[in-house]
C-alpha cells in the first residue's frame, strides 16, 4: 500500500492510500489510521493529548459536487504545512499546521462554504469570484448571525483553502485569492461585541456553592463506602470472567444447589433490573460469581419455564455485602448497594473528583483530564507538615528538555521526573504550531480537598495510567479508547447527571433546600470552573469556598503555584476579575459622589480621586486583559471593598496594617485582617446605611428571649459600635464638591 508521504504533487491519492503515515502514529492508535477512500477520517491518531476527542471528518457533510474536491483539500491540510510567506500575511492567527480539533473545524467550515456554493449554482472552486467570497462573508455575519470571532475563523479557513490550491490541488480546485487577504478583514466582519468575545460567565454562587458542597461530600464522606462497593463488584466481575470457559457436564451444580435452596425457602432470585416492566432477567454475572457457574450456563438454566415462572413472583435486586457506614444528618447516607447500580455511584464519585480538582486548582479541563496516577506525591521530608502538596503532570518525552533542566540543577532521578507538568491550550512547537503533546509547565498547588480527590481517583483506577482513563471510567469501544481520558463532552454530560442525581436524592430525603439550582447562564460545562474560582477570589476574598477553604488563602496558593507560568495562566483570570471588581466599585462610588453623597476616613480624599480617575479612564468597564493590567498597574486605583467591615481599602502597602512587613511585595490587601486605625480606610454613605441596618438587626437578635444573656450583651455592644462608626462617618464625611474647593 502507498502512504500519504508518497504524494507531494497535485494528483489525487489512490483510495487505498493511508491518509497519513502510520509510522508517525503511536503504535496503539495505528489501527485507527484511515484510508483515503473511507467514508470518515479519524484524526485521533494525530494527537498525543490523552483528553483529545475522537474527531471524525465525515464525507457525507459534502454534496457529491464538492466531496472529492474537499477530500483532496483536507488531505493536503493534514499532510502539508503552509509556507512562511502565506503565514506572514495573517500574523498570529494563521499557523503552518493545525491541531486535530482545528482541522476538524476547518473541514466543517469548508463544508458550510461548499453547501453555500451549491445553492448559488457554482460547481467548481475555480469558478468562485472575489464578489462571491465577499457575499459569503456577508452571509455569515448578516444571514447566519455569527459572531465576529466565528466569521474571522471562517475567513482564515477560506484563506487557507486558497493557499493550498496552487501547490497541491488541480486547476479546477484552485480558488481565487479572497479580498480580505489584501484589504484586511475588518470590512468583511460583523461589529465587535461590547463585552468582548470568548468570555465564559462564572457559575453563579447559588449554583456553585451547593455543587461544591455535594462534590466534597462524595469525595470526603461517601467515597469510602463507594470504593468498598466498587472493590467488591470488581472481585465479582473477575470471578465471573474467570469462569468464561467451554461448558462441561455438571458445571451448573453450584447454581442448581443455590436455586433449590431459594425455592425451598420461597426466597427471591437476584435479577438484573428488578424495576423493569419487561421479562425479568436473572443477574447472570452476579449469580455466576456467587455459584461458580459460567454465565452461558446460567442463561440456559434460567430460560426454563419453571424458573421463568418462579422468578416472576420471586425476585429482588442483586445486592452487595458492602456495608453503608457513612451518615448524613444522623442517618445512613444510602441504602445497601445494588450490584448493577453501584457503577452509577462510581461515575458520580469520579465526576465529584473532577469538580473538586478543576475548581480548587484552577486547572484547565485538558490539564485535569491529563493527570496520571502518582501525580500528587506526599511531601517526603521530615518537615512534611510544613510542605504543601503539589500536583505534577507527566514528564516530557523530549530528551532535550530533560537535558536542559538537568543542566539547570535538577537531579536526573525518578523523583525529578515529576517536576514536569503539561498544559495543552497554548502549547506550541519551535515553529509556532500547536503541539498536541502539551508544553512543560510548573506543578500546581493542591489544598487537602484536592489531594483527597486525587487519592479517590487513584483508588478507582488500576494503579497506573490516567486518573480519568476512558477504559476505566467509560469502557465502551476499548480499541478506540486506549491511553485516552474521558472526553470534554462526556465529562460535561456527567456533571449534568451528577446534578440530577443530587437533586433527586435531596428531594427524596427531605433535603430540598440543599438542591443545586440551575445556573441562569446555562449548562455548567467543564470550562467555567477556572473563571468561577477567579471570580470568587476577586469578589469574595474573605468568604469561604466550602468547608472552611478560604478564598484569600486560595489566592495566595494559586498565585504562588502559578508564579513560574505563562501570562496566560489563571493569574490573568484573577487579575481580570479583580480589575472588573475594582472598576465596578469605583464607578458606583463616582456616581454616588456626583449625586452629592459623601466619604469619610483617612483615605477619603484618595477614594474620591480614585473614583474620578477610574471613571475618566475606564468608565466602569473592563473588557480586556490589557485594560485589567493597566488598571491594576496604577497604584491610585488599587481600591478593594471589605463588605464584612463596611469599608473601602485604598490599598497602599507602605501604610497597610494588615501586612506587618509593610513595604514587601504584597499586591493585594488581606481583608480578613483589617485594622480600624489603618490609614487606607474610607467609608461611603452606603456603608454607613449598611452599618445602621446591621446594628438594628443585631438589636433585634439581642432582644430575643432565646438568646443567652452573655450573647445578648455582646450583640448589643456590637450594635452600639456599628452605630458609633456610622455617626463618626456622618460627622467627618466630605463630598466631591468640597474636595474640589479644598475644604
Amino acid at each position: 500500500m502507498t502512504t500519504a508521504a508518497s504524494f507531494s504533487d497535485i494528483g489525487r491519492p489512490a483510495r487505498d492510500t493511508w491518509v497519513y503515515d502510520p509510522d508517525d502514529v503511536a503504535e496503539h492508535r495505528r489501527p485507527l489510521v484511515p484510508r483515503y477512500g473511507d467514508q470518515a477520517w479519524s484524526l485521533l491518531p494525530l494527537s498525543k493529548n490523552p483528553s483529545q476527542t475522537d474527531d471524525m471528518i465525515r464525507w457525507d457533510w459534502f454534496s457529491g459536487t464538492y466531496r472529492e474536491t474537499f477530500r483532496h483539500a483536507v488531505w493536503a491540510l493534514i499532510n502539508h504545512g503552509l509556507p512562511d510567506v502565506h503565514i506572514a500575511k495573517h500574523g498570529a492567527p494563521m499557523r503552518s499546521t493545525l491541531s486535530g480539533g482545528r482541522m476538524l473545524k476547518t473541514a466543517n467550515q469548508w463544508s458550510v462554504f461548499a453547501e453555500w456554493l451549491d445553492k448559488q449554482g457554482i460547481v467548481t472552486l475555480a469558478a468562485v469570484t472575489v464578489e462571491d467570497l465577499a457575499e459569503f462573508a456577508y452571509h455569515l455575519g448578516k444571514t447566519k448571525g455569527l459572531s465576529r470571532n466565528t466569521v474571522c475563523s471562517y475567513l482564515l479557513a477560506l484563506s487557507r483553502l486558497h493557499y493550498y490550491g496552487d501547490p497541491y490541488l488541480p486547476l479546477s480546485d484552485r480558488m481565487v485569492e479572497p479580498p480580505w487577504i489584501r484589504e484586511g478583514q475588518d470590512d468583511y466582519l460583523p461589529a465587535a461585541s461590547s463585552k468582548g468575545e470568548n468570555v465564559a460567565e462564572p457559575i453563579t454562587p447559588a449554583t456553585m456553592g451547593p455543587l461544591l458542597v455535594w462534590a466534597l461530600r462524595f469525595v470526603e464522606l461517601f467515597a469510602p463506602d463507594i470504593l468498598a462497593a466498587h472493590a467488591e463488584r470488581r472481585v465479582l466481575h473477575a470471578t465471573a470472567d474467570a469462569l468464561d470457559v467451554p461448558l462441561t457436564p455438571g458445571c451448573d451444580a453450584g447454581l442448581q444447589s443455590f436455586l433449590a435452596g431459594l425455592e425451598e425457602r420461597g426466597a427471591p432470585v437476584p435479577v438484573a433490573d428488578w424495576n423493569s416492566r419487561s421479562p425479568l432477567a436473572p443477574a447472570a454475572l452476579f449469580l455466576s460469581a456467587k455459584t461458580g457457574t459460567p454465565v452461558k450456563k446460567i442463561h440456559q438454566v434460567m430460560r426454563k419455564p419453571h424458573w421463568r415462572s418462579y422468578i416472576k413472583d420471586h425476585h429482588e435486586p442483586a445486592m452487595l455485602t458492602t456495608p453503608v457506614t457513612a451518615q448524613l444528618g444522623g442517618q445512613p447516607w444510602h441504602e445497601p448497594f445494588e450490584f448493577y447500580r453501584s457503577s452509577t455511584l462510581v461515575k458520580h464519585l469520579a465526576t465529584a473528583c473532577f469538580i473538586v480538582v478543576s475548581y480548587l486548582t484552577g486547572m484547565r479541563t485538558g490539564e485535569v483530564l491529563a493527570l496520571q496516577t502518582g501525580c500528587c506525591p506526599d511531601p517526603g521530608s521530615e518537615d512534611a507538615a510544613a510542605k504543601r502538596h503539589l500536583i505534577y503532570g507527566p514528564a516530557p518525552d523530549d530528551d532535550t528538555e530533560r537535558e536542559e533542566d538537568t543542566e539547570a540543577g535538577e537531579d536526573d532521578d525518578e523523583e525529578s521526573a515529576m517536576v514536569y507538568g503539561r498544559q495543552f491550550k497554548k502549547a506550541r512547537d519551535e515553529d509556532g504550531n500547536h503541539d498536541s503533546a502539551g508544553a512543560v509547565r510548573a506543578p500546581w498547588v493542591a489544598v487537602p480537598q484536592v489531594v483527597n480527590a486525587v487519592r479517590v481517583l487513584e483508588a478507582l483506577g488500576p494503579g497506573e495510567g490516567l486518573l480519568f482513563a476512558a477504559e476505566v471510567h467509560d469502557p465502551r469501544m476499548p480499541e478506540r479508547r486506549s491511553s485516552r481520558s474521558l472526553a470534554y463532552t462526556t465529562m460535561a454530560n456527567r456533571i449534568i447527571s451528577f446534578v440530577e442525581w443530587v437533586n433527586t436524592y435531596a428531594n427524596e430525603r427531605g433535603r430540598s433546600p440543599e438542591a443545586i439550582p440551575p445556573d441562569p447562564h446555562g449548562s455548567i460545562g467543564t470550562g467555567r470552573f477556572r473563571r468561577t474560582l477567579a471570580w470568587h477570589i476577586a469578589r469574595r476574598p474573605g468568604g469561604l469556598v466550602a468547608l472552611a477553604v478560604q478564598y484569600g488563602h486560595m489566592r495566595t496558593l494559586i498565585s504562588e503555584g502559578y508564579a513560574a507560568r505563562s501570562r496566560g495562566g489563571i493569574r490573568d483570570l484573577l487579575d481580570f476579575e479583580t480589575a472588573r471588581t475594582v472598576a465596578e466599585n469605583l464607578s458606583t462610588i463616582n456616581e454616588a459622589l456626583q449625586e452629592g453623597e459623601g466619604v469619610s476616613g483617612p483615605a477619603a480624599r484618595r477614594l474620591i480621586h480614585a473614583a474620578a480617575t477610574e471613571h475618566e479612564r475606564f468608565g466602569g468597564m473592563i473588557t480586556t486583559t490589557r485594560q485589567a493590567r493597566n488598571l491594576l498597574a496604577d497604584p491610585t486605583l488599587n481600591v478593594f471593598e471589605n463588605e464584612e467591615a463596611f469599608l473601602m481599602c485604598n490599598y497602599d502597602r507602605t501604610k497597610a496594617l494588615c501586612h506587618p512587613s509593610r513595604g514587601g511585595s504584597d499586591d493585594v490587601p488581606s481583608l480578613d485582617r483589617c485594622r480600624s486605625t489603618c490609614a487606607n480606610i474610607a467609608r461611603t454613605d452606603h456603608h454607613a446605611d449598611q452599618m445602621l441596618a446591621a446594628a438594628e438587626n443585631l438589636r433585634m437578635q439581642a432582644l430575643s428571649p432565646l438568646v443567652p444573656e452573655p450573647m445578648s450583651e455582646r450583640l448589643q455592644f456590637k450594635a452600639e459600635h456599628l452605630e458609633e462608626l456610622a455617626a463618626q462617618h456622618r460627622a467627618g464625611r466630605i463630598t466631591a464638591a468640597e474636595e474640589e474647593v479644598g475644604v
Side-chain angles (χ1 to χ4, degrees), residues 90 133-134 137 155-156 158-159 178-185 188:
H90 296 270
L133 292 172
L155 301 192
L156 280 174
L158 294 181
S159 298
W180 49 81
I181 291 180
R182 294 183 182 273
E183 302 172 15
Q185 294 185 344
Y188 299 91

Side-chain angles (χ1 to χ4, degrees), residues 54 148 244 248 275 316 318 343 361 433 463 547 657 674 687 718 742:
D54 191 359
R148 183 180 178 89
D244 188 15
T248 59
N275 210 19
E316 68 176 1
S343 59
T361 63
N433 297 314
L547 303 183
L657 298 184
C674 271
H687 289 134
K718 177 64 175 176

Side-chain angles (χ1 to χ4, degrees), residues 49-69:
N49 184 346
S51 62
Q52 179 65 42
T53 55
D54 191 359
D55 294 327
M56 302 282 288
I57 297 175
R58 304 185 184 278
W59 295 111
D60 57 7
W61 295 347
F62 297 85
S63 67
T65 305
Y66 280 102
R67 184 170 301 147
E68 295 310 314
T69 294

